[in-house]
Amino acid sequence: ELLARLGARDGAGVMVSDSKITISIPKRDDIQARTQKIRRVKGLLVGASGESPWTEQILRWAATKRTRPLKYAEGKVVVEGIVLTPTEIIHLDECGEPIVLDQQFFAIGTGAHAALGAMLAGADAMRAAEIACEVDPHSEGPMQILKLELPL
């Protein structure tokens, strides 16, 4: 799972994710690995959940001025993204369309429902991600956390 939260107890904004990925290789067993799912890009926090070929495209899109929809390469797209700015959370859906969300927190990935429930119950972003890892077999630490840096 991957979640973003604006302001509140977490400061200016925070993005938290687990680090587990599953790599599916045809005619072989799935491979479990760890990776960095969230990054700082030009002062923004960006994260992606889904098949890895598409996650780099989300990061490249976030490095632009974000004025046009994300265009994926050809093929089936199984990915979602979150961009966290100091004032908004932007969700990138499977069509690459950026949607500005009118809410203080949001989560994507297999542990999203557990993370959202934990945050609604009062957990901070890190604890919500930890709870999601406890109940979702596809989410596992170590946890990654990035905080927005406020301009001086």
Side-chain angles (χ1 to χ4, degrees):
E1 83 291 328
L2 187 150
L3 56 98
R5 183 175 192 126
L6 285 171
R9 293 180 293 186
D10 300 303
V14 65
M15 191 173 280
V16 180
S17 80
D18 73 322
S19 55
K20 181 179 181 179
I21 61 170
T22 302
I23 301 169
S24 297
I25 301 173
K27 300 182 182 179
R28 291 184 47 196
D29 291 334
D30 289 346
I31 298 170
Q32 307 299 312
R34 303 282 177 269
T35 192
Q36 183 178 352
K37 297 180 181 180
I38 57 177
R39 296 186 192 161
R40 191 177 309 279
V41 179
K42 292 190 175 183
L44 306 173
L45 301 183
V46 182
S49 177
E51 293 183 358
S52 59
W54 310 111
T55 59
E56 285 301 318
Q57 289 187 257
I58 286 177
L59 296 171
R60 282 194 300 271
W61 175 86
T64 69
K65 295 182 191 264
R66 303 179 328 276
T67 57
R68 58 178 166 52
L70 176 65
K71 297 293 183 195
Y72 293 113
E74 295 297 318
K76 182 180 174 191
V77 177
V78 182
V79 68
E80 287 183 276
I82 297 177
V83 178
L84 182 64
T85 77
T87 59
E88 60 193 13
I89 299 171
I90 302 166
H91 176 247
L92 297 167
D93 66 14
E94 67 280 353
C95 296
E97 194 65 38
I99 302 164
V100 176
L101 304 175
D102 185 21
Q103 53 197 82
Q104 290 297 302
F105 54 85
F106 190 68
I108 60 174
T110 60
H113 290 102
L116 288 170
M119 291 180 81
L120 286 169
D124 65 16
M126 179 60 87
R127 183 64 188 133
E130 291 168 346
I131 290 168
C133 285
E134 290 176 26
V135 299
D136 176 41
H138 303 289
S139 299
E140 188 175 288
M143 305 309 291
Q144 303 164 9
I145 185 167
L146 290 177
K147 294 183 179 183
L148 276 176
E149 296 173 356
L150 290 175
L152 298 177

